[in-house]
Amino acid sequence: MTQSNRSLTLRDVSEASGVSEMTVSRVLRNRGDVSAATREKVLTAAKELGYVPNKIAGALASQRVNLVAVIIPSLSNMVFPEVLAGVSQVLEDTELQPVVGVTDYLPEKEEKVLYEMLSWRPSGVIIAGLEHTEAARAMMNASGIPVVEIMDADGEAVDAMVGISHRRAGRVMAASILEAGYKKIAFLGTKMPLDHRARKRFEGFTETLAKSGVEVTEREFYSGGSALAKGREMTKAVLDRSPDIDFIYYSNDMIGAGGLLYLMEKGIDVPGQIGLAGFNGVELLQGLPRQLATMDACRREIGVKAAEIIASRVQGEDTDNSVTLTPKISFGDTLRRQ
Amino acid sequence: MTQSNRSLTLRDVSEASGVSEMTVSRVLRNRGDVSAATREKVLTAAKELGYVPNKIAGALASQRVNLVAVIIPSLSNMVFPEVLAGVSQVLEDTELQPVVGVTDYLPEKEEKVLYEMLSWRPSGVIIAGLEHTEAARAMMNASGIPVVEIMDADGEAVDAMVGISHRRAGRVMAASILEAGYKKIAFLGTKMPLDHRARKRFEGFTETLAKSGVEVTEREFYSGGSALAKGREMTKAVLDRSPDIDFIYYSNDMIGAGGLLYLMEKGIDVPGQIGLAGFNGVELLQGLPRQLATMDACRREIGVKAAEIIASRVQGEDTDNSVTLTPKISFGDTLRRQ
DNA sequence: GTGAAAGCGCTAACAA
DNA sequence: TTGTTAGCGCTTTCAC
C-alpha cells in the first residue's frame, strides 16, 4: 500500500526473493523449469510487493506484442460492438488481446489511428472496410503482420478479408421487393458519402431495379440525431411529398423502425399499402409490435472469422485469405410475399 | 512497398538520410532545434521508407506512455460508448489516447483487465464504478498514476471520482411517483447482482417509498436477449399477475420502451391508468410515439470531466478529486404531474 | 544545430 | 535448475 513514484521492477522482486532476475522472469511467465520452492518464493515476493510486470520492456526485449489492432468507424450503433464481441470471444482463448480504435468514418482519422496502432507493433490488424487512403494501404503492406479487412467483400484486400457483398445485399432486397409487386420505391439513408458499404447496397439496389425499368422515386438522407426519430421524420416527409410511394428501403434498421412506428400510428396498412425494409438484423428490434424486413449483416460471425484468421496466422499457420459470408433475408411483417 | 520481416528502425532512416539517429529522432518528434534542410532530408527519407516509429522502444526510453486506460463493463448498450465519446473528445486535444477495456460486469475480469492495462504503464486510469476487488484497489493505489472512478458517487474513491448518486436518483424518482399519486408500484430490472449502480437506484427507490408506507408490489428481473422484447414480456407478465399495478419503474430506458409499446398496443391509458419511468435518458427513445419518463445519467459529461481530471493531473496540475453531477428528471408523457 | 554514450526493464541465448 | 551476458530501439544527457 506504500505509494511510490518509481514502479517496481524485476530487480526489486529478485532482491526481495533472493532469486536472480532471470529466474523471477521465468516464474512470472511460466517459462522453463523452475523448482517448486523457488517458484513459491518468487510468487510470494511478487505478490507482497504488488509487482506488475512492465510489458513495454518485455515487448521490446522479446519482439512480441500480443495485441491485435481492431479499427472500426464507430461505437455508437450496435453493429460494430457486435463485431467486437465476436473478435473478443475468439481471442479470449489465445494470448492475443484486441485493442480498439475508432475512425468516425473519416479516412484521415483512419490513417492516423492505424499509424498510432502500428507504432505499438501489434501482432495483427482487423480493419473495417476495403477503402483506405494510399498511405494507410502502404502502411498495412509494409507492416509485415496479418491484416484482415472486414464487413465488405466488394473489392480487393491488402492481405485478407472477411465480409458480405453489400452490392449483392442491395440486389437481393430489390429483387424481393419487385417480386412482391411494389413499384414506387423510396430510399432513406444516412448522409454519409464515406459509408462505402451503404453506398454499395444502394448501388446494387438501383441496379436491380433498373433492370426491371424501375427507378427510385424518392431519396432522403439524414445526419446526426436519434435514428428512430429521424426515420419517423423522413418517412413523413417523403410520404407528404409523394403519397403514392408503396415501398421504403432504409439503409439501417433503426431508421426503418422509426418509419414503421410512424406508419402504424397513422393507421397505414403495412405491408399492404406500404412495404418496408431495413438492413442489419439488429436484435433490438425484436420488441417492436411488428418485425421489420431486413438482412442480417453477419456481424458477430465476421468478427469471429477475422479473429480466427489472425490467430492462425500468428501461429504461423496458413489460412483462407478471403471469406465471403451470405446474409439471410428475413421478411418479417413488412414485406409481403406472394 | 517492399514487404520485409524486420520493421524499420531509426537507424534505417539515419542511413538513408545521412543524418545521425539522434537528429532523426528529434525531427520525428519536433523536439529541439533542427535546421530546415536536415529536417527536410529526414522527413523525406522517413516517408519514402514508410517508417513507423516504435513506440515500445520510445516509451521504454522516455518512461512515458501517452495512454489512458478506460475500463468499462460493457459496450453493448448505449451508455458506455457515450462516456467514451466524452473522454475521447477531451483527450483529442492532448497527447493522450484512450484505450478501452471491457469487464462484462465481472470483478475478476475487471481485475485481470486492470492488470493487463497497468502492465503497459499508462498515464492514467478511468474506471467505471466504485466497487472493485481488494487486489484491484491495491493495484490502483500502487500504480502511482491518476485514477478516476466514474458513474457513481455513492462510496469512497481510491483517488478521484466523477459521477452521480444513483441512490439519490432512485429517491427522486420515487418521490415524483408518490407525488403523482401512484400507489401500486412494480420494479423491473436486469438480473445483475453486480450492477451496483442499478442496485443503488433500487435501494434509494424503496427507501423513499418506505417512508410513505409504500412497498414495491411486484419485481421482475431478466437477463440476456433484446431489452425491448424483454421489457414487453416482463410488463405483460407482471400485469397478468397483478392487474392493479399503477406504476412500473424500469431499471433502464430500453426495457421501459418495450413496456410502453406493449401498453400502447393494449390500449391502456398511460400515464392515467399506469405510469412508467426508466433510467438513462437515451437519445434513441426520441423516436417513440410517446416520451418515457426518465433521468439523465450525464454520461457524456462524466466522460468529459474524468478525462479533464486525468489531463490536468498528467500536466502536474491539481484538480478536484470528487465531482458529483446532478441528473435531471424528465417527466415525458408517462408520468403524470399534479 | 548535431552527435556519442549510456541505459530504460525486460528476455533470448548461452553457460554453468 | 539457475545465472550471466548482451541487446531490443529508442530517448536522455552531455559534449561539441
Side-chain angles (χ1 to χ4, degrees):
Chain A
M1 277 284 166
T2 334
Q3 177 135 356
S4 78
N5 228 338
R6 187 181 65 66
S7 57
L8 297 159
T9 68
L10 267 188
R11 170 175 223 93
D12 296 305
V13 182
S14 166
E15 280 168 4
S17 62
V19 175
S20 79
E21 284 189 42
M22 195 54 233
T23 303
V24 172
S25 168
R26 282 197 268 256
V27 172
L28 265 20
R29 285 176 301 143
N30 291 312
R31 278 277 191 296
D33 295 320
V34 180
S35 73
T38 319
R39 151 174 253 86
E40 196 53 41
K41 266 194 288 187
V42 170
L43 256 18
T44 315
K47 179 158 234 171
E48 219 141 70
L49 294 172
Y51 172 69
V52 177
N54 186 331
K55 287 219 179 187
I56 306 210
L60 183 62
S62 67
Q63 304 282 66
R64 257 178 294 108
V65 179
N66 296 325
L67 261 24
V68 176
V70 182
I71 301 176
I72 56 182
S74 156
L75 282 173
S76 63
N77 50 49
M78 235 56 298
V79 4
F80 298 104
E82 230 176 293
V83 176
L84 268 185
V87 171
S88 305
Q89 182 199 310
V90 172
L91 296 189
E92 212 119 279
D93 300 331
T94 71
E95 298 270 71
L96 301 169
Q97 280 213 338
V99 182
V100 179
V102 173
T103 70
D104 295 323
Y105 287 98
L106 302 172
E108 320 79 51
K109 189 155 183 207
E110 180 184 84
E111 190 180 313
K112 205 184 125 202
V113 168
L114 181 64
Y115 183 83
E116 286 295 329
M117 303 206 105
L118 287 181
S119 74
W120 287 102
R121 300 292 188 268
S123 291
V125 173
I126 295 175
I127 185 168
L130 292 165
E131 282 76 19
H132 315 286
T133 65
E134 201 46 60
R137 210 177 280 280
M139 280 190 264
M140 295 192 277
N141 241 312
S143 70
I145 57 177
V147 175
V148 185
E149 292 170 85
I150 58 171
M151 315 294 290
D152 196 353
D154 299 319
E156 284 289 309
V158 167
D159 179 7
M161 74 183 176
V162 179
I164 66 171
S165 164
H166 287 265
R167 247 187 266 279
R168 178 177 173 285
R171 277 192 249 114
V172 168
M173 188 54 88
S176 302
I177 291 169
L178 290 173
E179 203 178 325
Y182 296 105
K183 297 253 154 59
K184 297 280 285 182
I185 298 167
F187 179 85
L188 306 191
T190 40
K191 195 183 289 153
M192 282 242 126
L194 296 167
D195 184 345
H196 299 283
R197 293 175 288 287
R199 191 202 74 221
K200 288 171 184 176
R201 285 199 296 282
F202 183 62
E203 287 171 4
F205 188 68
T206 51
E207 179 194 318
T208 294
L209 292 187
K211 283 194 185 145
S212 300
V214 176
E215 271 194 7
V216 167
T217 307
E218 282 276 357
R219 310 175 191 194
E220 184 113 357
F221 300 93
Y222 78 101
S223 58
S226 150
L228 213 54
K230 288 293 176 182
R232 176 180 283 273
E233 287 165 27
M234 288 161 75
T235 304
K236 175 174 182 350
V238 156
L239 289 178
D240 284 354
R241 280 208 303 273
S242 307
D244 55 341
I245 291 289
D246 67 0
F247 199 94
I248 308 179
Y249 183 36
Y250 297 89
S251 81
N252 70 61
D253 283 349
M254 219 50 161
I255 53 175
L260 174 57
L261 289 173
Y262 172 77
L263 294 179
M264 288 179 60
E265 249 169 87
K266 282 281 179 193
I268 291 174
D269 171 22
V270 176
Q273 186 181 340
I274 301 186
L276 304 175
F279 181 81
N280 261 337
V282 307
E283 185 186 53
L284 166 68
L285 301 188
Q286 276 159 31
L288 286 188
R290 323 193 55 181
Q291 293 307 298
L292 186 68
T294 190
M295 262 171 111
D296 180 19
C298 310
R299 299 179 298 282
R300 192 185 182 94
E301 205 180 341
I302 286 175
V304 166
K305 261 271 145 244
E308 284 173 355
I309 291 178
I310 298 285
S312 307
R313 292 274 211 94
V314 166
Q315 302 289 324
E317 298 161 23
D318 252 359
T319 58
D320 290 344
N321 64 345
S322 171
V323 179
T324 302
L325 303 172
T326 307
K328 297 118 273 192
I329 189 168
S330 77
F331 290 86
D333 312 314
T334 69
L335 171 46
R336 71 175 172 244
R337 309 183 68 169
Q338 304 187 279
Chain B
M1 274 287 167
T2 334
Q3 177 135 354
S4 78
N5 227 338
R6 186 181 66 67
S7 56
L8 296 160
T9 68
L10 267 188
R11 169 174 225 93
D12 295 306
V13 182
S14 165
E15 281 168 4
S17 63
V19 175
S20 79
E21 285 189 42
M22 194 53 236
T23 303
V24 172
S25 167
R26 280 197 268 256
V27 171
L28 264 21
R29 283 176 302 141
N30 291 311
R31 279 274 192 296
D33 295 320
V34 180
S35 73
T38 322
R39 152 175 253 86
E40 196 52 41
K41 265 194 289 188
V42 170
L43 256 19
T44 315
K47 180 157 233 170
E48 219 142 71
L49 295 172
Y51 172 70
V52 177
N54 186 330
K55 286 219 181 191
I56 306 210
L60 183 62
S62 67
Q63 304 283 70
R64 258 177 293 113
V65 179
N66 295 324
L67 260 23
V68 176
V70 182
I71 301 176
I72 56 182
S74 156
L75 282 173
S76 64
N77 50 50
M78 234 55 299
V79 3
F80 298 103
E82 231 176 293
V83 176
L84 269 185
V87 171
S88 305
Q89 182 199 311
V90 171
L91 296 189
E92 212 119 279
D93 300 330
T94 71
E95 298 270 71
L96 300 169
Q97 281 213 337
V99 182
V100 180
V102 173
T103 70
D104 295 323
Y105 287 98
L106 302 171
E108 321 80 52
K109 188 155 183 207
E110 180 183 83
E111 189 180 313
K112 204 184 124 203
V113 168
L114 181 64
Y115 184 83
E116 287 294 330
M117 304 207 104
L118 287 181
S119 73
W120 287 100
R121 300 293 188 268
S123 291
V125 174
I126 295 175
I127 185 168
L130 292 164
E131 283 76 18
H132 313 286
T133 64
E134 200 47 58
R137 211 177 280 281
M139 280 190 264
M140 295 193 276
N141 242 312
S143 71
I145 58 177
V147 175
V148 185
E149 292 170 85
I150 59 170
M151 315 293 290
D152 196 353
D154 299 319
E156 285 288 309
V158 167
D159 179 6
M161 74 183 176
V162 179
I164 66 171
S165 164
H166 287 265
R167 247 187 267 280
R168 179 179 173 283
R171 278 192 249 115
V172 168
M173 189 53 88
S176 301
I177 291 169
L178 291 173
E179 204 179 323
Y182 296 105
K183 297 254 154 56
K184 298 280 284 182
I185 298 167
F187 179 86
L188 307 191
T190 40
K191 195 182 288 152
M192 283 241 125
L194 296 168
D195 184 346
H196 300 284
R197 295 176 286 288
R199 191 202 75 222
K200 288 171 184 175
R201 285 199 296 282
F202 183 62
E203 286 170 5
F205 187 69
T206 52
E207 179 194 318
T208 293
L209 293 187
K211 282 194 185 144
S212 299
V214 176
E215 270 192 8
V216 167
T217 308
E218 281 277 357
R219 308 177 191 192
E220 183 113 355
F221 300 93
Y222 78 101
S223 58
S226 151
L228 212 54
K230 288 294 176 181
R232 175 180 283 274
E233 288 164 26
M234 288 162 75
T235 303
K236 176 174 183 352
V238 155
L239 290 178
D240 285 353
R241 280 208 303 273
S242 309
D244 56 342
I245 290 289
D246 68 359
F247 199 94
I248 308 179
Y249 183 36
Y250 297 88
S251 80
N252 70 61
D253 282 350
M254 220 49 162
I255 53 175
L260 174 57
L261 289 173
Y262 172 77
L263 294 179
M264 288 180 59
E265 248 170 272
K266 283 280 179 193
I268 292 174
D269 171 22
V270 177
Q273 185 181 342
I274 301 185
L276 305 175
F279 182 81
N280 260 337
V282 306
E283 185 186 52
L284 166 69
L285 301 188
Q286 276 159 32
L288 287 188
R290 324 194 54 181
Q291 293 307 299
L292 186 69
T294 190
M295 262 171 111
D296 180 20
C298 309
R299 299 179 299 282
R300 192 185 183 94
E301 205 180 342
I302 286 175
V304 167
K305 262 268 145 249
E308 284 174 354
I309 291 178
I310 298 284
S312 307
R313 293 275 210 91
V314 167
Q315 302 289 324
E317 297 161 24
D318 253 0
T319 59
D320 292 343
N321 65 345
S322 171
V323 179
T324 302
L325 303 172
T326 307
K328 297 117 272 192
I329 188 169
S330 75
F331 290 86
D333 312 312
T334 68
L335 171 47
R336 70 175 172 247
R337 309 183 68 170
Q338 304 188 280

